[in-house]
Structure formats: C-alpha cells, structure tokens
Amino acid sequence: MSNIGSYEDKIKNFDWSISEKELNYQDGNIINIGWYCSDRICQMGKADKLALQWEGFGGVEKKYTFNDIRLAGNTIGTFLRNLGVKNEDRVCLFMDRIPELYLSFLGVLKIGAVVQPLFSAFGDESLHVRLENAQTRAIITQKKHLSKVRRILDKLPSLEHIIIVDHYTSKPLQDKEVSLNLEKEPPVEEFNIFPTKAESPSVLHYTSGTTGQPKGVKHVHYSLISQYLTTKWVLDLQDNDIYWCTADPGWVTGTSYGIIGPWSLGITQCVLNTGFSAEAWYKFIEKYRITVWYSAPTAIRSLMKAGQEPVRNFNLSSLRHLASVGEPLNAEAVIWSEKVFGIPFLDTYWQTETGSIMITNFPGMKVKPGSMGKSFPGIISTIVDAKTFKPYNEYGKIGLIAFKPGWPAMMRTYWNNDKMFQRKFKNGWYLAGDRASIDKEDYFWFIGRDDDVINTGGHLVSPFEVESALLEHEAVSESAVVAKPDEVNMEVVKAFITLKPGYEASDDLELKIMNFIRKKLSPLAMPQEIEYMDSLPKTRSGKIMRRILHAQEWGEEIGDTSTLEDEE
Ligand code: WT7
C-alpha cells in the first residue's frame, strides 16, 4: 500500500494541516529543520537507525546513525557559534558530496543561520558573484577547493571565516582559515538549538535567469511542511526503504529531497560521491539494496545509452519505486525503464523557487509517458494566456504554467532583489516561466521554457552569464549564447563569437576559450561548441538576436525577423 493511498481522496478537502499534525507543529511554534531531521527522529526511537550510508572513490564507506548526525550537527553548530557566526548569517557549503556537506547542512540550520549550498565544480567567478550577493559570512569547504576561495577573498569583505574540513596536516593556514576535523572534535551532546520560527530563513539556493546575475532563492523553515508531505506521498518513502537521490545538494533537489525530505521522515539514505558510470550506479543499487531512487532524465538517458547488458550483470530487484526531475522526461525513457527495471520512472516537476514538488505522477496513478502528471494536493495550478495571464478554459492549449501562491515551500523572495521576485507574479498567479498544456484528465504536458535559459542535463545555465564571461576573454569581441540540441543532455551550451582584430579563428583558440569558461564558471556552463562569426545578428537598436541563432541550431523557421525586432 502506498503512502498516498488514493489521490482522489487526498485532493478532496486537502489542507496542509495534515502535514503540520504529523510533524506535531502548530502555528507560532518553533520549527527548525535541523532539529526535525535529527533530534526528533532520535526522540521517536530511531537513534540507532542508519541515516546515511556514504561511499566515495575507491569504495571507501562511511555510515552514520540518526544519533551520529544529531551529534555532528551540534558539534558543527557549536564550532560555528564559537567563531561568532549568528542566526541569519549566511554560511556557504562548498564541498563535494562528502559526509561533512550533509552534516554541516544540519549544523548551520541548528544555529538559525542560513545555508547557502554551492556546487563544488563552480569556478572563481560563479562562486564570487554568489558569495558577494549573499554577503556570506563563512564558507565550509575542502582543501581541493581552497585555491578558488583564496583567489576571490580580497573582493569579499563580508567573508570572515573559511572552514576547512579535511586539513589534517600541521601546515599553517592562511588568514581567516580554520580547520574543523569532525573526527577529532569532541561530540557535543548538550546544545541549544536556535528557536527559528516558520518564517525564519533556512536555505538560499542560487538559480540562473535570462538576464542579470543569478538570483538567490530565499526559503524558510516552514518549507518543511511541503517537503515532508511531498516526500511521503510522491517518493512514497516508508520506514524500511533505502533511498538514493542522485542530485548534488548544490542544487535544490539535493537539499529538499536529498536531505530534508528523507531525514525528516527518518529514512536511511545513500550517497555516492564518484563520477557517473552505468556499472558504478547499478553496483551501488545492488550493494545497498536501494528501494527508492530519485534521479534525472539525463542520467536515465545515459543509462539507456549504456544498454541492457550492464543491467543484467547486477541484481536490481530491490528497486520498487523510481522518480525523476529537472528536465523533460521523454516517453522513451519511461517505457525503457519499465522494460528493464520492471517499473517506470515517474516524472515530477518543480523548481528551485517552488521548493517542493508541484506537478507529479503518484504511485498507483495511471502513467501517461511524456506527461509530467497532475498537481500535488493543495497546489492550484493552471495554464494561463501569455498576454492576458488569464487561465484557459480549454484543454490542450499551450500557455504558461501558473500556480496560486501560498504553499509552504514557496520562495519568500529573491535575496536583495525583491523587484525581480514581484515580477514573477501576474494577475494573482505565480508564473513558473515554463510553457505547457493540460489534457482532459488534468495531466500536464511540458512544452519548453518561456525564456532563453539553457537547461543542460537538468541544470539551468544563464546565457547572459556565459556571454559576459566570454567577453572577458582577450580574443572575444562579441558573443551570443544559445542552447544546442544534444542526445543525452537534451541541451548543451553553444557560443557564437566575433573576434577582436589581431586574432584568428582556430581550433586551438576554441579550446582555450572553452577552458577559460570552464574554470571561470563551471563545466556545465562551458560551451560544447564555439562558432566564429564575422558579425552577429542584431536588431536596429543593436541588441543581439539570440532567437535567430537558436532557431538555426534547432532547425526551426526563423519567421519574420521584423516582428522579432519589434519584440526586442
Ligand atoms: C526548471 C527548474 C527542482 C528540480 C531541479 C531543477 C525544468 C524541472 C521538469 C520536468 C520538464 C522540468 C523547468 C523548470 N524542469 N522539472 N519534470 N519536466 N522540465 O530546478 O534548476 O530551478 O529548474 O527545470 O524548466 O522551470 P531548477
């Protein structure tokens, strides 16, 4: 029997108080996600249950019980407090998927500070703009990422503490740097958790838009109410499950459903901190007997590419429920997973801004391959007209995905950018920035984004950020960045550039520019192809028309460019 039971029953008279009651939360109470994910689970008699089974390179394993993660959270919280870090200060987590990342997440929340997780493959520039915007006070990182922090430190006056979790040698550290070795630190039993309330800030995730710098999506502790119930009803986690979320906590899936969801339910989860290969993933599932697996379409397509042969070499019979998020899950991938694993991947749709799953397929629901499914109970979603912002009362018509504001995990604002936040609302609806249609049975069908943001393998990349970074290269005069189709990642970054006088187009220069972007921004933002142009298509007012280049890449009709010009 699934946790949700009957979807039809649950949408009738739905109220978020269902979740509040299960979490024993009442309006006005203290609510702290760090406590809910560890102390509360211990108090419920699961102190000795495994919370985390971790595996790194070379098969190194580590295991933590709920009591271990409770104590580690206290220890890290105490360490931060002793440095002078206070509630609402921003603390960046800049680590690979090592246990300290997950444990620090709890520690930072327990002192009421705001967690700012950043993808550890980010280069200096990506790191800098996000730390500057958040005025981050402390960063917890690893030796291998220290050089990136050191290079930008001078430009970040708010950054007072650099905490290194794997500095075991006696080599002296530099200014502002301290080492925190969890294995040597005495565990802290007695700890006063900061009494955060529903609206206290909790997690700050950065997301990329079409224009301007990345925006910090501000979440609050009350988001737990959504994250707990969506994990329970959609991912269907039950007491004996062994769960694996393949997302990195640098992105929202890795925190909402890679930390908060499973741990607030007292579920054992597994983390694999190695690179991707079909064999390594299947071996991991077999070894830990994973039962519920939450992944992404690009990973599934990569597994499809590896074929059925590796699947046969492993015993994957433990798997009982699969879900996916981040980008369109094509019908072929759903059908393939049904064939090889005996169960389909169920698509779920949401965003950094929504904080929790919004449109989804539930266990037991009829799956229509290629559809994202239906609204989560309590979520009022519709398709609105792109000009009037009024909901369509016609099935199958393509418009913008819109949600009635008010679910618990909804972002509260963009950090230091409330103007941009307000712009997301039209006619009383929150606009997700995606296009879709609804069918007669209320299933949503994704069409595409309503902006120029590139979704590469489930990660959003801003063309603006890449274009700006390209202009910092000595050879580049002008740049335009668009998505290019890709078999596995759906979209990859492609750049069109014109060169400054004195530079000549060559393969060597292309490689140099690619690497420049990889180091400055990240491997995800690195163009997979650079095309040299004599000039870029522009409007009369001189704005570069990305859409012409985009249409060319996707083999679409360019249409009437004079209207394109008017729109610019
Ligand atoms: C954007 C949000 C929250 C998960 C990680 C991504 C796209 C997300 C789907 C889906 C088609 C999807 C949308 C959305 N997206 N899920 N099931 N089908 N597209 O979070 O980085 O904030 O990206 O990812 O375009 O707006 P994010």
Side-chain angles (χ1 to χ4, degrees), residues 91-117:
V91 179
C92 172
L93 306 184
F94 192 54
M95 286 172 265
D96 298 350
R97 277 177 264 185
I98 55 173
E100 285 83 350
L101 171 58
Y102 297 80
L103 305 170
S104 303
F105 187 86
L106 303 185
V108 173
L109 292 176
K110 279 183 161 190
I111 63 165
V114 181
V115 185
Q116 182 190 17

Coordinates of all heavy atoms in Angstrom, one line a residue, residues 91-117:
V91 N 26.0 31.0 5.6 CA 27.1 30.1 5.7 C 27.1 29.3 4.4 O 26.1 28.6 4.1 CB 27.1 29.2 6.9 CG1 28.3 28.3 6.9 CG2 27.0 30.0 8.2
C92 N 28.1 29.4 3.6 CA 28.1 28.7 2.3 C 28.7 27.3 2.5 O 29.7 27.1 3.2 CB 29.0 29.5 1.3 SG 29.3 28.6 -0.2
L93 N 28.1 26.3 1.9 CA 28.7 25.0 1.9 C 29.2 24.8 0.5 O 28.5 24.8 -0.5 CB 27.6 23.9 2.2 CG 26.8 24.1 3.5 CD1 25.8 23.0 3.7 CD2 27.7 24.3 4.7
F94 N 30.5 24.6 0.4 CA 31.2 24.5 -0.9 C 32.1 23.2 -0.9 O 33.3 23.2 -0.7 CB 32.0 25.7 -1.1 CG 32.6 25.9 -2.5 CD1 31.7 25.8 -3.6 CD2 33.9 26.1 -2.8 CE1 32.2 26.0 -4.9 CE2 34.4 26.2 -4.1 CZ 33.5 26.2 -5.1
M95 N 31.4 22.1 -1.0 CA 32.0 20.8 -0.8 C 31.5 19.8 -1.9 O 30.4 19.9 -2.3 CB 31.7 20.2 0.5 CG 32.5 20.9 1.7 SD 31.9 20.3 3.3 CE 30.6 21.5 3.7
D96 N 32.3 18.8 -2.2 CA 31.8 17.7 -2.9 C 30.8 16.9 -2.0 O 30.6 17.3 -0.9 CB 32.9 16.7 -3.3 CG 34.0 17.4 -4.1 OD1 33.8 18.5 -4.6 OD2 35.1 16.8 -4.3
R97 N 30.2 15.8 -2.6 CA 29.2 15.1 -1.8 C 29.9 14.3 -0.7 O 29.8 13.1 -0.7 CB 28.4 14.3 -2.7 CG 27.3 15.1 -3.3 CD 26.5 14.3 -4.3 NE 27.0 14.4 -5.6 CZ 26.4 13.9 -6.7 NH1 25.4 13.1 -6.5 NH2 26.9 14.1 -7.9
I98 N 30.6 14.9 0.2 CA 31.2 14.2 1.3 C 30.3 14.3 2.5 O 29.4 15.2 2.6 CB 32.6 14.8 1.7 CG1 32.5 16.3 1.9 CG2 33.6 14.5 0.5 CD1 33.8 16.9 2.4
P99 N 30.4 13.4 3.5 CA 29.5 13.4 4.6 C 29.4 14.8 5.3 O 28.3 15.2 5.7 CB 30.1 12.4 5.6 CG 30.8 11.4 4.7 CD 31.4 12.2 3.6
E100 N 30.6 15.5 5.4 CA 30.6 16.8 6.1 C 29.6 17.8 5.4 O 29.0 18.7 6.1 CB 32.0 17.5 6.0 CG 32.9 16.8 7.0 CD 33.6 15.6 6.5 OE1 33.2 15.0 5.4 OE2 34.6 15.1 7.1
L101 N 29.3 17.6 4.1 CA 28.3 18.5 3.5 C 26.9 18.3 4.1 O 26.2 19.3 4.4 CB 28.3 18.2 2.0 CG 27.2 18.8 1.1 CD1 27.3 20.3 1.2 CD2 27.4 18.4 -0.3
Y102 N 26.6 17.1 4.3 CA 25.2 16.8 4.8 C 25.1 17.1 6.3 O 24.1 17.6 6.7 CB 24.9 15.3 4.5 CG 24.9 14.9 3.1 CD1 26.1 14.8 2.4 CD2 23.7 14.9 2.4 CE1 26.1 14.5 1.0 CE2 23.7 14.6 1.0 CZ 24.9 14.5 0.3 OH 24.9 14.3 -1.1
L103 N 26.2 16.9 7.0 CA 26.2 17.1 8.4 C 26.2 18.7 8.7 O 25.6 19.1 9.6 CB 27.4 16.5 9.1 CG 27.5 14.9 8.8 CD1 28.8 14.4 9.3 CD2 26.3 14.2 9.5
S104 N 27.0 19.4 7.9 CA 27.1 20.8 8.1 C 25.7 21.5 7.8 O 25.3 22.5 8.4 CB 28.1 21.5 7.1 OG 29.3 20.9 7.3
F105 N 25.0 20.9 6.8 CA 23.7 21.4 6.5 C 22.8 21.5 7.8 O 22.2 22.5 8.1 CB 23.0 20.5 5.4 CG 21.7 21.0 4.9 CD1 21.7 21.9 3.8 CD2 20.5 20.6 5.4 CE1 20.5 22.3 3.3 CE2 19.3 21.1 4.9 CZ 19.3 21.9 3.8
L106 N 22.8 20.4 8.5 CA 22.1 20.4 9.8 C 22.6 21.4 10.8 O 21.9 22.1 11.5 CB 22.1 19.0 10.4 CG 21.5 17.9 9.5 CD1 21.5 16.6 10.3 CD2 20.1 18.2 9.0
G107 N 24.0 21.4 10.9 CA 24.6 22.3 11.9 C 24.3 23.7 11.7 O 24.0 24.5 12.6
V108 N 24.4 24.2 10.4 CA 24.1 25.6 10.1 C 22.6 25.9 10.5 O 22.4 27.0 11.1 CB 24.4 25.9 8.6 CG1 24.0 27.3 8.3 CG2 25.9 25.7 8.3
L109 N 21.7 25.0 10.1 CA 20.3 25.3 10.4 C 20.0 25.3 11.9 O 19.2 26.1 12.4 CB 19.4 24.3 9.7 CG 19.4 24.3 8.2 CD1 18.5 23.2 7.7 CD2 18.8 25.7 7.7
K110 N 20.7 24.5 12.6 CA 20.5 24.4 14.1 C 20.9 25.7 14.8 O 20.3 25.9 15.9 CB 21.3 23.2 14.7 CG 20.6 21.8 14.5 CD 21.4 20.7 15.1 CE 20.5 19.5 15.4 NZ 21.2 18.5 16.2
I111 N 21.8 26.4 14.3 CA 22.1 27.7 14.9 C 21.3 28.9 14.3 O 21.5 30.0 14.6 CB 23.6 28.1 14.9 CG1 24.1 28.3 13.5 CG2 24.4 27.0 15.7 CD1 25.5 28.9 13.4
G112 N 20.4 28.5 13.5 CA 19.5 29.5 12.9 C 20.1 30.3 11.8 O 19.6 31.3 11.3
A113 N 21.3 29.9 11.3 CA 22.0 30.6 10.2 C 21.4 30.1 8.9 O 20.7 29.1 8.9 CB 23.5 30.3 10.3
V114 N 21.7 30.7 7.8 CA 21.2 30.4 6.5 C 22.2 29.6 5.7 O 23.3 30.0 5.5 CB 20.8 31.7 5.7 CG1 20.2 31.4 4.4 CG2 19.9 32.6 6.6
V115 N 21.7 28.4 5.3 CA 22.6 27.6 4.5 C 22.6 28.1 3.0 O 21.6 28.2 2.4 CB 22.1 26.1 4.4 CG1 23.2 25.3 3.6 CG2 21.9 25.6 5.7
Q116 N 23.8 28.3 2.5 CA 24.0 28.6 1.1 C 24.8 27.5 0.4 O 26.0 27.6 0.3 CB 24.7 30.0 0.9 CG 24.8 30.5 -0.5 CD 25.7 31.7 -0.6 OE1 26.5 32.0 0.3 NE2 25.6 32.3 -1.8
P117 N 24.1 26.5 -0.2 CA 24.9 25.4 -0.8 C 25.3 25.9 -2.2 O 24.5 26.4 -2.9 CB 23.9 24.3 -0.9 CG 22.6 24.8 -0.3 CD 22.7 26.3 -0.2

